[in-house]
Amino acid sequence: MNQQELSKRLATVGEFVPNGARLADIGSDHAYLPVALVLAKKIDFSIAGEVVIGPFTSAVKQVKKNNLSQNITVRLASGLDAIEQDDDITAITIAGMGGTLIRDILAQGQSKNKLSGKERLILQPNVGEKTLRSWLMAESYEIIAERILEENQKIYEIIVAEKSPNTMTYTNEQLMFGPFLSKEKNPTFKKKWQRELNQRNHVLQQLSLAETVPSGKIEQLETERKLIEEMLA
Ligand code: SAM
């Protein structure tokens, strides 16, 4: 296996791992990302953390099959519990989960002093990007790069953040659309938000036919619709 064999999504996550980083890949599943990065000689040390026994076993097998047990340690642990102080981690990847789960993993890890503040965070939430960006802002992480990409009809965002000595302030629009992505507004970004707009229009139409509607729901959807329309204009 080499980096070319990674999905486009995971390969893009890997691009943001600095050369020579000491990586913790949390929710590693088959450990594809650390294995590919070590084989590509981009890194030579990684922890692969998994909380579920099946994916943990797959990760152990994948590491053994590639003779990388000297470079990659697979640990059965929840979130950042997989990290030990001596690991001296400098980059953390968390990919393929919801943004709320990624936020919770980071927040719990932070409360257990698993984050030193020197790690680059490379995060790929499947949904809930705003929730994740809001946590990063509240914890003084600066978003240093973002990517949006499409693979197999799904659109993914990647958020790269580093701890800042400064208080970080992002607008509501930047939290929702991404500070870099909303500036760039590339075709994939427009495609994503057109889909999101269509979805909200559909829900609003359904709600207009409903007898009872949860209070505030329509207002929230209309606010979001307006923001998306302005972003796409
Ligand atoms: N990171 C890989 C990728 O992007 O292709 C795998 C993504 S897979 C959909 C999500 C993985 O995260 C699953 O293997 C799941 O067991 C693991 N996971 C979920 N919650 C976790 C947690 N709190 N700690 C560690 N792993 C977790």
Side-chain angles (χ1 to χ4, degrees):
M1 186 174 141
N2 57 40
Q3 208 167 351
Q4 281 81 51
E5 289 176 62
L6 282 179
S7 64
K8 182 173 160 190
R9 175 184 62 83
L10 275 182
T12 310
V13 169
E15 278 175 26
F16 288 102
V17 174
N19 288 337
R22 293 177 67 85
L23 177 68
D25 182 42
I26 305 299
S28 199
D29 199 350
H30 287 73
Y32 287 142
L33 181 61
V35 165
L37 293 177
V38 174
L39 289 179
K41 303 201 182 307
K42 187 165 195 188
I43 61 170
D44 65 12
F45 177 89
S46 181
I47 300 300
E50 246 303 331
V51 74
V52 176
I53 190 77
F56 166 78
T57 308
S58 305
V60 170
K61 280 186 189 154
Q62 188 68 19
V63 170
K64 273 197 187 141
K65 191 176 108 184
N66 285 280
N67 288 318
L68 295 179
S69 303
Q70 297 292 320
N71 307 88
I72 303 172
T73 303
V74 185
R75 293 193 184 131
L76 185 63
S78 178
L80 304 194
D81 285 355
I83 299 175
E84 293 171 7
Q85 209 170 359
D86 287 350
D87 296 332
D88 200 17
I89 293 299
T90 60
I92 297 177
T93 46
I94 314 180
M97 303 176 207
T100 305
L101 178 55
I102 297 178
R103 178 205 58 190
D104 292 347
I105 286 174
L106 291 170
Q108 280 167 22
Q110 177 148 280
S111 71
K112 293 180 180 177
N113 296 322
K114 295 287 184 178
L115 290 171
S116 70
K118 69 177 181 185
E119 314 87 351
R120 172 180 287 191
L121 306 181
I122 305 142
L123 312 171
Q124 184 269 299
N126 290 337
V127 290
E129 294 86 353
K130 184 177 179 185
T131 304
L132 187 54
R133 286 193 191 94
S134 301
W135 184 86
L136 292 170
M137 177 175 80
E139 299 303 326
S140 298
Y141 277 89
E142 180 179 6
I143 297 172
I144 59 160
E146 290 175 315
R147 284 283 186 284
I148 190 162
L149 64 104
E150 183 170 6
E151 187 170 46
N152 301 329
Q153 276 98 53
K154 287 195 185 141
I155 294 180
Y156 300 102
E157 294 188 14
I158 294 165
I159 302 168
V160 187
E162 289 180 356
K163 192 84 167 172
S164 167
N166 307 315
T167 303
M168 295 310 302
T169 311
Y170 294 108
T171 65
N172 189 38
E173 284 80 0
Q174 287 175 319
L175 293 174
M176 183 162 168
F177 300 103
F180 288 91
L181 301 180
S182 60
K183 240 188 202 173
E184 189 189 7
K185 284 194 201 184
N186 73 21
T188 311
F189 174 88
K190 288 184 184 162
K191 186 169 177 179
K192 167 178 173 151
W193 287 104
Q194 188 58 56
R195 273 188 198 169
E196 295 280 335
L197 182 60
N198 296 347
Q199 189 202 33
R200 278 163 184 79
N201 282 336
H202 178 71
V203 176
L204 279 165
Q205 200 191 359
Q206 297 298 309
L207 288 179
S208 71
L209 305 171
E211 281 180 14
T212 53
V213 176
S215 67
K217 183 74 187 161
I218 292 188
E219 205 181 324
Q220 181 211 330
L221 285 166
E222 279 179 343
T223 306
E224 287 174 3
R225 174 165 73 177
K226 191 162 168 280
L227 282 175
I228 300 170
E229 280 171 349
E230 283 167 5
M231 184 54 62
L232 290 174

